[in-house]
């Protein structure tokens, strides 16, 4: 049995590479299936509902430059007419690109704040664009980590009739707070991901939510370093003014991605990636072209880095990050101390009780104190010795450990 929060009739699309499942809405397909099974019953089964699970999304064709430009114009005009207060931008590619699999339009997520909930909003937007089919993906699982750094983003994919074929239009939604950062990250094809691989040298990632630092020891949560593209690029060694001018060819993008001092080609080696990343990148034509570009240019391998020195440089360049890091480390230490003081092993050694009796006493002790949240605040004001005395004071007199004088 599988429980589904979506109550409207829909099907499921499943990606074998990442185990991602998303909802697919198509009334024409629903009617076709219902009509078929009304005539073709399955013996010994009373069919109440039919769902299809598949590995592909929309059946669409590619676009040439003229078609892509036309759809871009129509999409922006309809958005401006129906949602005048919402920002929307077509995500730019390199200028000489002449063949497109889809059109990506970045849109503020307030477009989904319509009466009736998410599915009604998507249905209305799809109708506005004249879509024959649509799919909404609003989760992070299965997406590039840098591209889906937060759950704020989602993609509404639509099949749009254009001349004698159907083409794909994607509305990539993001919060107003990260709109410009997301646009910069998504711009110029795979450039954002190539830059992010260089950011990994600093234990950071460049994504739709900005430049984000990740603790290599996984002790503290990820911290946003900056959401200002210019600041992020300049720190990583990229010429922001050059980025703003755009790129004529894919080769120009490769040149830019490899331009920082200390560029490390090893960051793109498939053998260094996870199995999922290898499968993903190995089928990306442009990624494999970039690997060929690296071989042709024979970039030198930089000296080994010092993680501690790198972190000091990040803190010096971004003082607010340093403050966030100090706060996160303090919270980690506090939580670590709390976990130790309320652990079963601590209660067992403090009380001298056998494991089962100590477990029962600990549960009663925490409950009588008002729960772990209340107790946490109390522990923060006590020394370990005072905490031990508090525990022992709650034990029956006959079971309290003797104090040696």
């Amino acid at each position: 049995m599988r429980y589904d929060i979506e109550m409207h009739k829909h099907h499921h699309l499943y990606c074998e590479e990442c185990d991602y499942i998303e909802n697919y809405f198509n009334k024409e397909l629903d009617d076709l299936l219902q009509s078929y099974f009304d005539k073709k019953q399955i013996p010994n089964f009373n069919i109440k509902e039919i769902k299809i699970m598949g590995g592909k999304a929309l059946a669409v064709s590619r676009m040439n430059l003229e078609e892509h430009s036309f759809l871009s114009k129509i999409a922006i005009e309809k958005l401006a007419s129906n949602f005048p207060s919402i920002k929307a931008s077509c995500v730019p590619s390199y200028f000489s690109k002449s063949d497109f699999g889809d059109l990506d339009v970045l849109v503020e997520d307030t477009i989904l704040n319509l009466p009736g909930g998410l599915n009604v909003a998507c249905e209305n937007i799809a109708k506005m664009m004249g879509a024959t089919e649509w799919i909404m993906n609003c989760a992070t699982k299965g997406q590039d980590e840098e591209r889906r750094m937060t759950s704020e983003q989602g993609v509404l994919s639509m099949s749009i009739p254009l001349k004698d074929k159907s083409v794909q239009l994607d509305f990539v939604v993001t919060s107003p707070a990260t709109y410009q950062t997301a646009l910069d990250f998504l711009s110029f094809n795979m450039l954002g991901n190539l830059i992010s691989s260089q950011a990994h040298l600093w234990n950071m990632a460049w994504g739709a939510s900005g430049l984000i630092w990740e603790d290599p020891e996984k002790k503290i949560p990820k911290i946003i370093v900056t959401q200002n593209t210019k600041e992020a690029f300049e720190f990583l060694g990229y010429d922001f003014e050059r980025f703003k001018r755009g790129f004529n060819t894919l080769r120009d993008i490769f040149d830019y991605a490899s331009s920082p001092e200390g560029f490390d080609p090893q960051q793109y080696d498939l053998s260094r990636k996870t199995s999922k990343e290898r499968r993903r990148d190995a089928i990306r034509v442009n990624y494999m072209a970039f690997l060929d570009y690296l071989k042709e240019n024979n970039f030198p391998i930089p000296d080994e880095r010092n993680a501690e020195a790198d972190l000091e440089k990040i803190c010096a360049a971004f003082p607010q990050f340093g403050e966030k890091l100090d706060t996160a480390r303090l919270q980690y230490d506090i939580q670590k101390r709390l976990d130790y003081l309320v652990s079963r092993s601590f209660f067992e050694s403090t009380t001298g009780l056998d494991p089962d009796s100590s477990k029962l006493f600990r549960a009663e002790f925490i409950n009588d104190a008002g729960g772990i949240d209340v107790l946490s605040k109390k522990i923060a004001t006590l020394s370990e010795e005072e905490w031990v005395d508090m525990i022992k004071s709650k034990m029956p007199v006959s079971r309290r450990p003797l104090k040696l004088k």
Side-chain angles (χ1 to χ4, degrees):
M1 177 64 71
R2 185 177 182 276
Y3 294 92
D4 199 328
I5 194 170
E6 174 52 57
M7 301 304 293
H8 294 83
K9 195 168 186 178
H10 63 287
H11 306 279
H12 292 126
L13 300 175
Y14 172 68
C15 176
E16 292 181 343
E17 289 188 9
C18 61
D19 277 342
Y20 181 72
I21 298 176
E22 64 183 36
N23 297 333
Y24 174 64
F25 300 82
N26 188 323
K27 187 175 186 305
E28 184 179 353
L29 178 60
D30 296 338
D31 294 341
L32 182 66
L33 289 170
Q34 191 63 54
S35 175
Y36 177 86
F37 283 104
D38 283 344
K39 299 173 185 176
K40 304 283 186 178
Q41 293 293 319
I42 299 176
N44 302 319
F45 281 89
N46 179 20
I47 301 175
K48 294 183 178 180
E49 186 178 29
I50 308 150
K51 288 187 178 181
I52 288 181
M53 294 186 70
K56 293 185 178 179
L58 303 173
V60 293
S61 302
R62 298 187 71 82
M63 290 175 276
N64 59 35
L65 180 58
E66 181 183 353
E67 293 165 337
H68 190 265
S69 300
F70 175 77
L71 183 60
S72 300
K73 181 175 181 292
I74 294 299
I76 294 300
E77 286 179 351
K78 288 191 175 183
L79 285 168
S81 174
N82 291 274
F83 301 95
S85 63
I86 291 176
K87 288 182 182 178
S89 306
C90 292
V91 177
S93 298
Y94 59 91
F95 306 141
S96 64
K97 185 174 174 62
S98 59
D99 182 64
F100 302 83
D102 59 19
L103 169 63
D104 288 335
V105 180
L106 186 69
V107 186
E108 289 181 325
D109 61 8
T110 46
I111 195 173
L112 301 177
N113 296 340
L114 296 177
L118 178 62
N119 291 318
V120 172
C122 291
E123 184 71 41
N124 289 336
I125 294 168
K127 287 180 180 178
M128 175 191 75
M129 296 307 306
T132 56
E133 302 173 69
W134 64 272
I135 303 167
M136 181 62 193
N137 161 23
C138 54
T140 58
K141 186 178 180 182
Q143 303 296 320
D144 294 350
E145 183 179 355
E146 292 81 11
R147 183 164 179 167
R148 300 286 177 256
M149 191 62 72
T150 72
S151 59
E152 295 172 349
Q153 286 201 314
V155 180
L156 172 60
S157 296
M158 296 168 280
S159 178
I160 309 294
L162 186 64
K163 297 181 180 179
D164 57 347
K165 60 186 178 184
S166 293
V167 297
Q168 184 166 328
L169 170 62
D170 287 346
F171 280 1
V172 183
V173 295
T174 191
S175 73
T178 59
Y179 181 86
Q180 187 57 52
T181 311
L183 181 59
D184 292 336
F185 172 72
L186 296 172
S187 293
F188 307 119
N189 306 82
M190 61 186 298
L191 178 58
N193 284 323
L194 296 181
I195 290 175
S196 188
S197 292
Q198 287 306 297
H200 293 169
L201 293 169
W202 300 82
N203 291 316
M204 294 192 291
W206 167 242
S209 296
L211 190 61
I212 295 178
W213 179 83
E214 183 173 359
D215 180 12
E217 296 181 356
K218 310 295 184 185
K219 291 181 178 179
I220 59 181
K222 296 175 183 178
I223 301 175
I224 294 177
V225 179
T226 181
Q227 293 183 318
N228 182 297
T229 304
K230 185 175 186 294
E231 292 179 353
F233 276 32
E234 289 180 349
F235 180 83
L236 295 173
Y238 289 98
D239 183 345
F240 181 66
E241 294 304 317
R242 173 67 188 88
F243 170 81
K244 287 169 59 178
R245 294 197 299 271
F247 306 92
N248 187 49
T249 66
L250 193 60
R251 177 83 182 201
D252 292 339
I253 290 176
F254 292 170
D255 288 342
Y256 184 79
S258 58
S259 63
E261 183 180 349
F263 173 77
D264 188 355
Q266 298 176 110
Q267 295 301 305
Y268 307 95
D269 191 337
L270 291 176
S271 66
R272 292 188 168 209
K273 297 179 178 289
T274 65
S275 59
K276 184 175 77 173
E277 290 171 337
R278 282 197 299 273
R279 289 196 304 269
R280 177 198 65 195
D281 291 336
I283 61 175
R284 290 178 169 173
V285 175
N286 288 345
Y287 190 88
M288 298 308 292
F290 184 65
L291 293 184
D292 290 338
Y293 167 88
L294 296 179
K295 291 178 183 177
E296 291 171 9
N297 287 272
N298 194 28
F299 288 94
I301 305 300
D303 295 336
E304 188 173 346
R305 303 178 71 90
N306 183 306
E308 187 175 336
D310 283 347
L311 186 56
E312 289 178 359
K313 291 178 181 178
I314 299 173
C315 292
F318 303 98
Q320 289 184 331
F321 164 75
E323 294 172 4
K324 293 177 184 177
L325 180 60
D326 289 341
T327 300
R329 283 173 167 171
L330 178 61
Q331 291 174 340
Y332 171 79
D333 290 340
I334 291 173
Q335 187 61 49
K336 184 178 179 181
R337 177 176 183 266
L338 171 64
D339 292 343
Y340 165 67
L341 293 177
V342 298
S343 65
R344 291 183 181 179
S345 59
F346 187 86
F347 266 74
E348 191 173 327
S349 63
T350 299
T351 62
L353 299 174
D354 64 79
D356 289 339
S357 298
S358 176
K359 179 180 177 182
L360 179 61
F361 170 75
R362 175 180 174 274
E364 292 175 346
F365 180 88
I366 293 174
N367 183 66
D368 291 344
I372 193 65
D373 290 338
V374 175
L375 200 56
S376 297
K377 295 178 181 178
K378 180 66 176 178
I379 293 174
T381 66
L382 301 175
S383 66
E384 183 172 331
E385 184 176 310
E386 291 171 329
W387 172 238
V388 168
D389 289 341
M390 181 177 172
I391 293 174
K392 292 179 178 179
S393 70
K394 301 298 181 181
M395 295 178 63
V397 176
S398 60
R399 304 297 296 273
R400 296 178 189 173
L402 296 176
K403 281 190 177 182
L404 298 177
K405 295 184 179 180

